[in-house]
Amino acid sequence: MSAGTGVEATVVALTEQTWPALQELLGPQGGASGCWCMWFRRTANDFKRNKGESNRQALGELVSSGEPVGLLALDAGGRAVGWAAVAPRLAHIRLDRSAVAAPPDPREDLSDVWSVTCFFVHREARGAGITRSLLGAAVTYAAEHGARCIEGYPTDTEGDRKQVSTLYHGTLTMFLDAGFELIGRRGIKRALVRRDLR
């Protein structure tokens, strides 16, 4: 993949073999504030208690177990330049209490719904189309694992200056361009989007 900025990347699943590359990408802060992409997988209290090293270890244990966790974009030298968290929705317990992520039908069986919850791109690779490549690969990854549909919770940046702190959800435009359907706007700047896979 190349987007004209000199960055080429191949998207692969996070495994024990690629786990060191993710650790290098997220750095000592685990992306931000010791998160290590565990924000959606823990309750608020559990997350606060486990910020930092405990979150890193917990993510590493998920990787070692073989559970789907996400995808990495690797440059030609094998260095990770981008990350997308994608896994079954039910693995993300915080979504149960999120007004943004509330399913359109509260009676829906969510066992075969997957979620894209987070993106992280190295500052030197931003603007190269890495996030879009990760989203496209996430759709394929979920389908290959039997998902009925895949959803996201993007930020609507239309008319606004993009703030890095809000872009980890992905942008609404990016999801719509990738074939996702707008299910509903949730507040002023957020939305629930889905793409059917069957």
Side-chain angles (χ1 to χ4, degrees), residues 52-149:
E53 179 59 18
S54 292
N55 275 343
R56 188 192 68 79
Q57 290 179 3
L59 183 60
E61 288 169 6
L62 289 173
V63 174
S64 295
S65 75
E67 182 174 330
V69 178
L71 301 170
L72 280 174
L74 303 177
D75 68 13
R79 184 178 68 116
V81 293
W83 157 253
V86 54
R89 177 186 164 117
L90 295 181
H92 303 105
I93 60 175
R94 197 179 287 239
L95 296 179
D96 291 343
R97 300 180 183 178
S98 168
V100 174
D105 181 348
R107 300 165 298 177
E108 180 183 8
D109 177 6
L110 300 172
S111 62
D112 53 4
V113 177
W114 278 47
S115 298
V116 183
T117 55
C118 180
F119 296 94
F120 183 90
V121 176
H122 192 282
R123 63 183 177 276
E124 294 177 4
R126 291 173 188 161
I130 300 289
T131 309
R132 288 178 180 269
S133 293
L134 285 164
L135 180 58
V139 171
T140 301
Y141 186 63
E144 289 174 348
H145 283 78
R148 169 175 55 88
C149 73

Side-chain angles (χ1 to χ4, degrees), residues 100 113-114 116 135 149-154 169 171-176 179-186 190-195:
V100 174
V113 177
W114 278 47
V116 183
L135 180 58
C149 73
I150 184 169
E151 64 182 26
Y153 322 100
H169 299 291
T171 66
L172 178 58
T173 299
M174 179 184 71
F175 276 89
L176 296 179
F180 284 71
E181 176 186 358
L182 176 61
I183 301 301
R185 292 184 180 274
R186 305 290 170 85
R190 298 292 300 284
L192 171 66
V193 294
R194 281 186 169 183
R195 178 169 164 175

